[in-house]
Amino acid sequence: MPKIGIIGGSGIYKIEGMKALKEVRVKTPFGDPSDCYRTGQLAGVDVVFLPRHGSSHTINPSQINYRANVFGMKKLGVEKLISVSACGSLKKEHKPLDFVLPDQFVDRTTGGRCMTFFSDGIVAHVGFGQPVCPELLDLIWGAAQALNLSVHKGGTYLNMEGPAFSTKAESHLYRSWGMDIIGMTNMAEARLAREAEMCYATIAAVTDYDCWYESEESVTVEMIVANLRKNAENSKKLVGEVVRRLGSAPSSCACSESLKYAIVTDKKAISAKIKKDLKPIIGKYI
Ligand SMILES: CSC[C@H]1O[C@H](OP(=O)(O)O)[C@H](O)[C@@H]1O
Ligand SMILES: Nc1ncnc2[nH]cnc12
């Protein structure tokens, strides 16, 4: 049975209904994760939960230690990582309270977030043309449809830096590029999950129309929180159904082999420290 990791975003600081809950602190070579991990069972399936902004939302998107968060999941044996996130809509048809399951990301961060485990004495280049696991995406899509939710399969998530929201000029620019939704957090996780050979997919809950739509109010935190609350029951049902389905789904995607040909550094040149630090990720190759 694959171990499932869930990273909760804004408004999602715990998963209701998790049984046999334990809080686990995980040490990583990259520093501290956003919080302790909550392990337990949901729908009879093993899950691990982490709130990416911390359980009291104290960490802003630029300061999240994405590497520690994903590395901790890997150390706990997670194979499938699901992000549950709030997002703004850049298209009329993606309405507040809809869900979007993006299949692409565009990086517009500017603050130099570290998005690789391979930065210091070891180099790897993973394929990222298809940044979301297609099987996991399909499974989430099936679960959302079975629940009759208003959900859009595919689309591009524009990852801005934040923490301030976009200017109108930026919002229109991203629309002109054909972007579907906007958020501040998922790109780094998707890259790191690929390097850690985990499947990754995002459940994005649309909370607002950002600031491009003249007939709608521009985004505020108040609006985001109110819409997340309105959608909480649907999000909970969707996560539960996804986990239940994943518990018995066979998997044939290539995510668990993404590092197979990616490490370019001569094995003899990789230090004992790097081998030890990165063991959960590179141990099977080096
Ligand atoms: C609280 S509003 C902006 C905040 O909400 C989204 O967070 P997450 O992706 O963690 O759900 C967005 O990316 C911003 O970080
Ligand atoms: N409009 C928006 N821009 C960036 N992140 C968001 N998260 C939710 N709505 C957002």
Side-chain angles (χ1 to χ4, degrees):
M1 207 189 261
K3 201 151 182 195
I4 298 159
I6 301 169
I7 299 189
S10 294
I12 300 166
Y13 310 111
K14 61 177 183 194
I15 299 281
E16 271 178 51
M18 258 175 85
K19 304 239 161 68
L21 252 192
K22 275 194 205 136
E23 293 194 347
V24 187
R25 288 229 170 258
V26 179
K27 285 208 167 113
T28 89
F30 302 100
D32 291 333
S34 296
D35 212 311
C36 59
Y37 293 80
R38 270 95 179 166
T39 65
Q41 290 218 319
L42 191 64
V45 181
D46 287 339
V47 296
V48 182
F49 173 75
L50 180 73
R52 70 162 68 83
H53 300 280
S55 52
S56 306
H57 207 128
T58 47
I59 310 172
N60 89 19
S62 311
Q63 287 165 337
I64 291 171
N65 190 340
Y66 296 97
R67 291 197 297 182
N69 288 355
V70 175
F71 196 89
M73 287 283 183
K74 185 73 183 179
K75 262 185 104 175
L76 292 172
V78 165
E79 293 167 20
K80 311 224 177 249
L81 188 58
I82 299 167
S83 155
V84 187
S85 270
C87 72
S89 166
L90 297 170
K91 287 190 178 157
K92 210 170 176 173
E93 62 268 30
H94 303 324
K95 299 183 288 302
L97 306 184
D98 286 358
F99 290 96
V100 178
L101 311 177
D103 60 357
Q104 284 295 331
F105 295 96
V106 166
D107 185 16
R108 280 270 306 172
T109 59
T110 53
R113 294 181 193 185
C114 201
M115 303 193 201
T116 179
F117 295 116
F118 300 96
S119 58
D120 212 358
I122 179 167
V123 180
H125 303 279
V126 290
F128 203 50
Q130 194 174 35
V132 171
C133 171
E135 282 186 10
L136 187 53
L137 183 80
D138 276 348
L139 184 137
I140 298 171
W141 165 243
Q145 280 191 308
L147 293 168
N148 258 322
L149 299 176
S150 184
V151 58
H152 308 264
K153 187 182 185 201
T156 304
Y157 174 116
L158 185 295
N159 198 134
M160 62 176 291
E161 180 69 42
F165 294 114
S166 305
T167 63
K168 272 191 191 188
E170 286 168 329
S171 202
H172 283 297
L173 178 67
Y174 305 149
R175 273 171 53 71
S176 78
W177 292 348
M179 304 291 101
D180 288 271
I181 53 173
I182 183 163
M184 304 180 190
T185 58
N186 278 213
M187 179 81 192
E189 280 167 15
R191 281 209 209 166
L192 291 160
R194 177 60 49 82
E195 287 189 350
E197 299 194 322
M198 291 184 229
C199 302
Y200 184 84
T202 297
I203 297 175
V206 179
T207 50
D208 58 89
Y209 273 118
D210 202 36
C211 58
W212 60 271
Y213 201 162
E214 292 304 333
S215 65
E216 300 287 325
E217 255 182 84
S218 288
V219 56
T220 62
V221 166
E222 198 185 4
M223 182 188 294
I224 291 175
V225 170
N227 281 335
L228 284 172
R229 283 218 178 98
K230 279 190 206 156
N231 228 357
E233 195 53 33
N234 282 340
S235 301
K236 185 177 148 192
K237 277 199 252 166
L238 180 54
V239 169
E241 181 62 16
V242 167
V243 167
R244 198 184 61 74
R245 288 177 179 226
L246 273 176
S248 57
S251 156
S252 62
C253 60
C255 303
S256 64
E257 295 200 319
S258 46
L259 271 184
K260 198 168 177 185
Y261 304 109
I263 301 170
V264 285
T265 307
D266 185 341
K267 279 183 196 163
K268 296 193 282 296
I270 300 172
S271 70
K273 179 170 182 341
I274 291 172
K275 284 183 191 158
K276 181 168 168 271
D277 283 351
L278 292 185
K279 195 166 181 222
I281 293 176
I282 62 171
K284 74 190 223 211
Y285 297 111
I286 283 163

